[in-house]
Amino acid sequence: MTTLKKDTKATRRQFIKTALIGTTAVVAGTTLTKTMINASASQPPVDVDKYHKPEDYLHTVCLGCNTGCPSKIRIVDGVVAKIVGNPYAPWTKSPHLDYKTSLNDALSQEGALCPKGEAGIMTVYDKFRLKKVLKRAGPRGSNKWVTMDFHKAVEEIVNGGKLFANVSGEENRAVEGLKDLWALKDSKVMGEMDKFIKDEIWKAKTPEEKKQKVAEFKEKFKDHINTLIDPEHPDFGPKNNQFLWIHGRLKAGRQDFFDRFVKGGMGSGNFHGHTTVCQGSLYFTGKAMSYQY
């Protein structure tokens, strides 16, 4: 807009002229903005009222970490549009909604959720998300991969074999499968081996005595010596221990299942886990507030 100097006398004609210029600029800018918005929009605007019904929301639990915060997911035409905290939950809203509150009355209510939980939408729609099994198609570090059928992948993992025969330098390399690691299947023998190692070998006081105990072990279990990782070091255990399980988010129920599979099924003693920062902070806070240290 034109600026008038202090020593200039504004006439009526000048005022009208200036006002017309400013109005024209505003109208032109508004029209241009609307044109740009319409041109950039790939889809027509969402009808908020149409997609604001109880059936358009899914109340569930976030598994971004082991905390398991209650969440509320908005669905638009079968697609996840937004993830927030469940307003009925004390973890995500304070004070939380009374459980008697109807879903209709809770439509506009949202709870808090951490950025990781809200980013769960990317877990579903990230274009880089792996949706098929990948198998190395070149030397290690070459970043060459091929996709393969899930059932075929399970077969190769279980049975092993010359899985990389098409890779230069690995034509004759045999890969052990899970069935090869499932070497010792007699739980009674496994228990007897474990007892001998703890009571005899580990309690040996000198290198000579330990060497003698290892020789006794090899003689006692000569029918199963081929199942060991290294017969000269029985405390490494059977080849079953080469199956290593490391879990993160695992609670009762799931833990019982995997424990039975790894220890009771595969017979491996390598069953390990770790907690998460989110879970730890929640537990510590809860225990502090309840004075249950």
Side-chain angles (χ1 to χ4, degrees):
M1 183 176 291
T2 303
T3 302
L4 300 177
K5 295 182 180 180
K6 292 183 179 179
D7 57 351
T8 301
K9 218 172 187 182
T11 64
R12 182 181 177 193
R13 179 173 294 181
Q14 287 176 321
F15 175 79
I16 296 175
K17 181 180 178 181
T18 303
L20 286 174
I21 293 175
T23 303
T24 302
V26 172
V27 173
T30 304
T31 304
L32 178 60
T33 302
K34 289 183 177 180
T35 302
M36 292 173 64
I37 292 176
N38 292 332
S40 63
S42 58
Q43 295 180 346
V46 176
D47 185 345
V48 178
D49 294 329
K50 178 181 178 182
Y51 298 103
H52 203 53
K53 302 175 183 178
E55 56 265 32
D56 297 318
Y57 290 87
L58 176 65
H59 293 77
T60 182
V61 175
C62 173
L63 290 180
C65 79
N66 203 24
T67 305
C69 290
S71 59
K72 178 181 178 181
I73 299 177
R74 187 173 185 179
I75 310 295
V76 176
D77 287 336
V79 176
V80 177
K82 188 178 183 181
I83 302 178
V84 296
N86 190 328
Y88 290 97
W91 292 7
T92 61
K93 188 175 179 63
S94 179
H96 65 86
L97 295 182
D98 189 292
Y99 294 144
K100 296 179 181 179
T101 305
S102 69
L103 293 177
N104 275 311
D105 293 336
L107 285 177
S108 59
Q109 298 292 320
E110 297 180 352
L113 203 62
C114 79
K116 185 177 182 180
E118 293 181 350
I121 192 170
M122 295 302 296
T123 304
V124 182
Y125 301 116
D126 189 345
K127 63 180 181 180
F128 294 110
R129 177 190 178 192
L130 294 179
K131 299 180 180 180
K132 295 184 179 180
V133 179
L134 298 182
K135 180 181 178 181
R136 182 164 58 84
R140 292 183 182 276
S142 64
N143 200 29
K144 294 181 179 179
W145 308 89
V146 292
T147 59
M148 64 185 304
D149 177 71
F150 176 81
H151 299 285
K152 176 65 175 176
V154 172
E155 181 182 331
E156 291 192 1
I157 292 171
V158 172
N159 296 321
K162 296 181 179 180
L163 307 182
F164 300 96
N166 61 323
V167 177
S168 177
E170 300 185 60
E171 294 87 351
N172 298 313
R173 184 172 75 89
V175 180
E176 287 184 319
L178 290 183
K179 73 173 186 179
D180 298 311
L181 300 183
W182 193 35
L184 184 55
K185 304 176 183 178
D186 192 324
S187 59
K188 181 179 179 181
V189 173
M190 190 178 290
E192 293 175 351
M193 284 184 172
D194 183 65
K195 188 175 187 305
F196 191 98
I197 292 171
K198 292 178 178 178
D199 294 346
E200 304 292 337
I201 298 179
W202 282 2
K203 291 183 179 181
K205 297 180 179 179
T206 65
E208 292 75 17
E209 184 181 356
K210 183 175 182 179
K211 186 175 181 180
Q212 177 60 36
K213 293 297 181 181
V214 170
E216 293 178 12
F217 178 94
K218 292 166 67 175
E219 177 60 28
K220 179 177 177 64
F221 300 102
K222 60 183 179 181
D223 294 337
H224 305 281
I225 205 69
N226 64 318
T227 66
L228 298 180
I229 294 176
D230 185 351
E232 297 303 322
H233 297 276
D235 50 340
F236 287 173
K239 296 177 181 177
N240 308 48
N241 281 339
Q242 291 178 304
F243 181 86
L244 173 61
W245 175 275
I246 301 179
H247 62 261
R249 302 184 298 273
L250 201 59
K251 285 190 178 270
R254 287 179 294 170
Q255 180 169 344
D256 296 334
F257 174 81
F258 292 123
D259 185 89
R260 182 175 180 181
F261 172 76
V262 177
K263 297 179 182 178
M266 283 298 297
S268 173
N270 284 320
F271 185 85
H272 309 286
H274 67 87
T275 185
T276 60
V277 175
C278 302
Q279 174 195 12
S281 60
L282 174 72
Y283 288 175
F284 300 151
T285 302
K287 289 182 179 180
M289 289 192 300
S290 59
Y291 298 100
Q292 296 178 12
Y293 299 102

